[in-house]
Amino acid sequence: MSELPEVGPLLQRMGQELTAWLDRTQRTDPAMVGIHTGGVWVAEQLRDQWLPDAPLGTLDIAFYRDDFAQIGLQQGVRPSELPFSVDDRHLILVDDVLMTGRTIRAALNELFDYGRPASVTLVTLVDIEARELPIRADILGASLALPPGQRVKLAGPDPLHLTLTNVAQP
């Protein structure tokens, strides 16, 4: 794999695409929801620059993971905070890395426990194309094809940058 993309230009393009998407789909008064931890960092940056009036909520999907019974509770679990009603609201769900789709499935399950949103727009910084569920981003920063055993991770929060990590192969 060659060099990883810089986060700043990705966020700039994503912000432009997101505001155009919201205008085109007539989704007014959206609220942003970042998935801990990297998704929150991306959501904060997008909101600060492109949607400063949008409220920001955070999700920690640890209890909603489908592998919770196998791996148990992760360290550093935080409470989710949604300081607005999700009912009939246009939500922008933000994550840093889209891989299997299981994190997004868990986040959607949690969001629907809070109420019934009018719509959910998925925004992800990076898609590493290792999907196990039929989930795709509406707004995407970059798509990366990684060799087996490599993952990309968002480090930050100041500055945000992508790093490669190696994972053990079964």
Side-chain angles (χ1 to χ4, degrees):
M1 154 124 228
S2 61
E3 208 170 294
L4 292 172
E6 289 186 35
V7 173
L10 294 180
L11 290 173
Q12 183 73 19
R13 185 175 46 72
M14 290 168 64
Q16 292 170 344
E17 289 179 14
L18 178 58
T19 55
W21 167 272
L22 293 171
D23 286 345
R24 186 173 59 254
T25 58
Q26 299 179 350
R27 295 182 180 176
T28 59
D29 192 31
M32 297 192 86
V33 180
I35 301 172
H36 276 294
T37 297
V40 174
W41 296 337
V42 172
E44 287 171 340
Q45 297 239 348
L46 289 171
R47 189 214 35 193
D48 290 351
Q49 186 168 1
W50 297 96
L51 297 166
D53 295 330
L56 176 63
T58 62
L59 287 181
D60 190 321
I61 53 99
F63 293 114
Y64 287 80
R65 293 188 55 93
D66 60 8
D67 58 359
F68 180 77
Q70 290 90 12
I71 65 171
L73 190 59
Q74 298 173 350
Q75 288 184 346
V77 173
R78 303 168 181 91
S80 294
E81 296 179 26
L82 295 175
F84 47 83
S85 172
V86 303
D87 285 322
D88 297 318
R89 188 97 192 231
H90 295 290
L91 300 179
I92 302 167
L93 180 61
V94 184
D95 202 8
D96 54 350
V97 178
L98 177 57
M99 188 173 135
T100 63
R102 293 184 183 279
T103 295
I104 302 306
R105 184 215 43 88
L108 290 169
N109 286 353
E110 183 170 357
L111 283 174
F112 276 83
D113 279 352
Y114 281 90
R116 188 177 187 280
S119 69
V120 179
T121 299
L122 179 58
V123 175
T124 57
L125 184 65
V126 175
D127 181 347
I128 63 169
E129 301 176 356
R131 203 81 62 250
E132 295 173 2
L133 299 175
I135 292 174
R136 67 166 178 77
D138 297 300
I139 307 296
L140 176 62
S143 186
L144 304 174
L146 298 179
Q150 281 197 332
R151 299 290 179 264
V152 68
K153 180 171 176 50
L154 181 64
D158 191 26
L160 290 178
H161 61 281
L162 295 170
T163 61
L164 280 178
T165 60
N166 291 314
V167 294
Q169 292 293 305

